Amino acid sequence: MHALIHLSQSTPGIFLTWGVFGIQLGNLIVIVSMFVVFGLALVVPFPRGAREGRESRESREDMK
Amino acid sequence: MPDSQKSRARRKSLDVRAWNGTTRPYDLLKELAIGVLVVGVIIVGFAAVAGSPDEPTITLQNWAQANPNDFVATATAELAGTSDTASYGPPYSSTAGATQTLGPIDLQTMSGVQLRIDAAKDFVITPLTTLDSAPDAVSTWRAATSEQQTAWATSYSDALGKASNGDPSTVVSGNYGPVPQLTQGLLTVAKGGALDGAIQSEGGLYNTNPTPTILFLSDGTYFSSLATAQHLTGDQWGMMNETGSYPGQSWLWLFSFWYQVPLIGNLPNADLVVVFIMVFLTLVLALVPFIPGLRSIPRWIPVHRLIWRDYYRKR
Amino acid sequence: MTDSQLPQPTLEPEPEDVDHSWSGRLRRWVLKVLPPEKLLPTSQPSYVATWIYMFGMGAIASLVFVIGSGAVLSLNGPMWWHLSPLGHFFNSLHLWSVEFFFFFMVIHLWAKFWMAAWRGNRALTWITGVVSFAVSIVAGFTGYLLQTNFDSQWIAYQAKDALNASGIGAWFNVANFGQMFMWHILLLPIAVLVIVALHVLLVRGHGVVPPLDAAESDSQLRETTPTEATSREA
């Protein structure tokens, strides 16, 4: 069950530098993905369930 | 009561009391189950495809074989009391003036020498004794006063610094006492792999504390040169980084950030300053609900209009 | 069905029946602040309908895998994963579940900030969230120290200075494998689980924060009758 691809193992890895700012590729991907996922979670419409439309007294009774 | 006050009071009560508006069906356990399933698939997928990094440890033997000159120079510095560990101050040694302070705050001294390490003894003399290497040189060293010991080791250290490539075989002759024999003896046992065991067994058979080995290794330049190649040092945002291209502790970005600011990173008490900044910022984050201005940012930048857009649209 | 027709649970007993024992008082208090229908809800306010609400659950789901994979790694000890492909796979699971745990937790934190979710006596919920983030960072950090490879060796060396400078290093020695092992597999998991549990119970007890500037005249509130509102407030 070894990993299919090895991102490391004695290779120094990919490091990106812009002036004084530098970041490792793995971290860059993680951080960019977080912003993307956050943005998507804000804009992608949330599916409405089958019972949703009723927004019923019935479901409100559940809260009691 | 003016209208604005009245509506504010009502709004507050709306925040505080249980929701009594319309609801939608929801199943907490089902959401948890689906969450575990979906997240599980993602995690198993990443683990299977990407795996995880595992660069082997660096031993004293690796060091002695790969860079013997650095090893000898470091061993000499341990004997002279000039290595990082030997002159660290608390918690390892009582070196005066070595602590990081901020004004009158000296937490390092307050904590005391809890993990005492006698670098010359623990890293060089005791292992040589254990391994019965260079016994005559060890006896000479032991018989000398500490002033004499320091004088020998310091002049050998200076001579090594002047030698081409730090090579001990090219050092000009001088009054180094037993130091060349001691360091050469240590190099020999290190190359053979015996030094790792000798230092580790100072803590007995069940030693689970490799602190002395890690500190000795880090006093040389070999260990940190390997870390630099992997972008792991503090001035390379190394705190966040993992070996290879794997994501590391990216959540430490802010902690790591301060070390990249020259004004802070170059301070002699940079670590203490950064710790204080981070403790302060963490407290600020925890207390956002009570800090005027900060707690109003979500009102000024209305991301909530997007989050609850359905709610506001149908008001 | 009106409220009066519903069988009402007798949460508030008659004065003469009031049980003054410690256990009785605790039971009454727990049922008051966290009744079962709040603990395991089957409905949510209508405004809880966006993906942004999923990330807290995502972090908890990841935590399930952090604990699970950590438990499997515990079975065979800290060196197992270097020697066995199966062990390495579980180490990979442990790493990625931690990465996703923080991934979801940070997005959850951003979301709750922009919702100003500390409103309405929910400040302690926010604070426990921040504390669980901080404790998780320490727990994750001690895990990096236990990899028993070059990375852990280097991190032990590098991290000691900040801890020593602040006086913590004398008692929390990052280069001491045995000490860090105990913190990572016993003390810090307990701390994370306790603080996360407290956080979740606070969320359940207070309910999800209403939208900013929500008013009684909003459509999601208008449709309920005043009597209903009063009865629920009681």
Side-chain angles (χ1 to χ4, degrees):
Chain A
M1 244 189 278
H2 264 306
L4 300 178
I5 52 165
H6 274 279
L7 298 171
S8 153
Q9 313 309 63
S10 301
T11 57
I14 300 162
F15 200 82
L16 307 157
T17 315
W18 296 273
V20 292
F21 181 76
I23 191 164
Q24 193 196 34
L25 182 64
N27 281 336
L28 181 70
I29 293 172
V30 166
I31 292 170
V32 168
S33 309
M34 284 168 76
F35 284 105
V36 170
V37 170
F38 178 70
L40 285 176
L42 291 181
V43 296
V44 172
F46 192 71
R48 295 197 161 264
R51 290 166 63 201
E52 196 84 3
R54 284 187 280 170
E55 285 196 345
S56 51
R57 293 183 59 82
E58 192 188 331
S59 65
R60 255 176 280 144
E61 300 288 340
D62 290 347
M63 283 180 90
K64 286 178 195 168
Chain B
M1 190 154 55
D3 271 1
S4 64
Q5 258 184 19
K6 231 185 276 176
S7 74
R8 207 178 306 144
R10 246 195 324 223
R11 193 183 305 148
K12 181 161 190 272
S13 74
L14 199 154
D15 287 347
V16 171
R17 67 162 190 238
W19 177 252
N20 58 5
T22 58
T23 61
R24 52 180 286 271
Y26 172 73
D27 188 339
L28 182 76
L29 277 187
K30 193 173 166 190
E31 190 188 298
L32 177 65
I34 293 172
V36 168
L37 196 72
V38 172
V39 169
V41 168
I42 297 172
I43 289 171
V44 170
F46 270 84
V49 173
S52 49
D54 191 14
E55 295 277 325
T57 49
I58 299 300
T59 60
L60 299 171
Q61 184 182 22
N62 298 145
W63 178 23
Q65 286 175 347
N67 196 341
N69 297 352
D70 179 45
F71 182 89
V72 168
T74 309
T76 309
E78 305 294 0
L79 291 172
T82 54
S83 71
D84 284 349
T85 302
S87 59
Y88 193 90
Y92 311 126
S93 72
S94 40
T95 315
T99 57
Q100 295 192 24
T101 57
L102 191 66
I105 304 169
D106 187 357
L107 300 170
Q108 199 173 343
T109 299
M110 275 173 65
S111 72
V113 186
Q114 304 290 336
L115 313 166
R116 185 173 291 283
I117 287 176
D118 183 336
K121 188 163 152 275
D122 297 347
F123 298 165
V124 184
I125 301 300
T126 303
L128 284 176
T129 312
T130 308
L131 298 167
D132 199 25
S133 177
D136 297 339
V138 170
S139 307
T140 314
W141 176 268
R142 285 219 167 105
T145 63
S146 65
E147 289 77 16
Q148 179 65 74
Q149 290 172 344
T150 309
W152 283 333
T154 308
S155 41
Y156 189 54
S157 192
D158 293 345
L160 280 173
K162 285 177 197 140
S164 135
N165 215 10
D167 185 347
S169 63
T170 64
V171 164
V172 293
S173 58
N175 183 19
Y176 312 132
V179 174
Q181 288 76 41
L182 292 172
T183 51
Q184 204 56 45
L186 198 72
L187 179 66
T188 307
V189 291
K191 277 182 170 169
L195 183 63
D196 287 286
I199 291 186
Q200 190 60 11
S201 68
E202 285 173 30
L205 176 68
Y206 287 109
N207 189 6
T208 57
N209 181 7
T211 305
T213 307
I214 289 175
L215 291 179
F216 188 19
L217 261 175
S218 60
D219 285 337
T221 60
Y222 175 67
F223 188 47
S224 61
S225 72
L226 294 176
T228 305
Q230 294 264 19
H231 291 276
L232 296 178
T233 64
D235 54 2
Q236 296 172 308
W237 298 82
M239 201 181 278
M240 306 165 58
N241 291 346
E242 174 63 273
T243 51
S245 283
Y246 284 87
Q249 302 178 77
S250 50
W251 43 90
L252 294 179
W253 71 273
L254 190 55
F255 209 114
S256 194
F257 165 78
W258 301 111
Y259 288 96
Q260 321 307 316
V261 179
L263 207 63
I264 295 172
N266 296 338
L267 288 173
N269 59 349
D271 291 303
L272 189 61
V273 170
V274 172
V275 167
F276 274 121
I277 294 174
M278 288 309 292
V279 168
F280 173 74
L281 291 179
T282 306
L283 283 175
V284 167
L285 182 65
L287 299 176
V288 157
F290 306 105
I291 301 173
L294 270 186
R295 65 180 174 195
S296 303
I297 292 175
R299 286 181 190 279
W300 300 334
I301 306 173
V303 179
H304 64 275
R305 292 272 149 193
L306 201 52
I307 295 173
W308 292 305
R309 57 186 179 280
D310 283 349
Y311 181 91
Y312 295 121
R313 194 186 302 138
K314 294 180 196 152
R315 307 183 82 143
Chain C
M1 219 182 355
T2 68
D3 279 0
S4 57
Q5 286 169 303
L6 283 169
Q8 293 291 325
T10 50
L11 295 184
E12 297 289 336
E14 295 301 305
E16 62 266 26
D17 295 336
V18 170
D19 182 351
H20 288 291
S21 69
W22 293 4
S23 310
R25 283 165 196 261
L26 178 65
R27 186 178 59 209
R28 273 203 306 284
W29 179 78
V30 168
L31 285 173
K32 185 167 155 259
V33 298
L34 205 67
E37 61 273 22
K38 277 189 176 177
L39 190 62
L40 289 172
T42 50
S43 72
Q44 288 275 47
S46 300
Y47 55 82
V48 185
T50 141
W51 289 107
I52 208 72
Y53 283 108
M54 298 293 130
F55 292 95
M57 187 60 90
I60 286 175
S62 309
L63 185 59
V64 169
F65 286 94
V66 174
I67 302 279
S69 56
V72 174
L73 288 172
S74 301
L75 288 174
N76 287 289
M79 304 306 289
W80 176 50
W81 77 282
H82 300 298
L83 312 168
S84 144
L86 186 65
H88 192 101
F89 176 70
F90 274 97
N91 180 75
S92 306
L93 278 181
H94 201 56
L95 168 72
W96 287 104
S97 53
V98 168
E99 287 289 337
F100 278 98
F101 175 61
F102 280 101
F103 189 96
F104 292 133
M105 187 160 43
V106 170
I107 297 178
H108 175 66
L109 186 149
W110 293 346
K112 294 303 151 182
F113 177 79
W114 292 115
M115 293 178 185
W118 50 78
R119 287 169 293 129
N121 296 343
R122 291 173 178 84
L124 193 59
T125 316
W126 172 268
I127 291 170
T128 52
V130 173
V131 172
S132 63
F133 182 43
V135 174
S136 299
I137 286 175
V138 181
F141 166 70
T142 54
Y144 276 86
L145 293 169
L146 298 186
Q147 298 173 83
T148 52
N149 61 16
F150 176 70
D151 198 37
S152 56
Q153 224 179 340
W154 176 256
I155 293 172
Y157 158 65
Q158 197 181 35
K160 73 179 195 310
D161 295 329
L163 290 159
N164 288 338
S166 48
I168 300 166
W171 290 279
F172 188 82
N173 177 11
V174 286
N176 184 341
F177 173 80
Q179 187 187 14
M180 291 304 109
F181 193 59
M182 291 307 184
W183 277 85
H184 184 72
I185 68 166
L186 182 73
L187 302 175
L188 288 164
I190 291 175
V192 170
L193 287 175
V194 166
I195 195 80
V196 167
L198 187 60
H199 181 72
V200 170
L201 291 179
L202 283 166
V203 171
R204 295 274 37 101
H206 286 289
V208 183
V209 74
L212 271 158
D213 300 321
E216 305 290 350
S217 56
D218 294 344
S219 67
Q220 290 193 7
L221 280 149
R222 260 197 324 263
E223 292 159 23
T224 51
T225 60
T227 47
E228 226 178 323
T230 352
S231 74
R232 200 156 295 126
E233 239 173 315

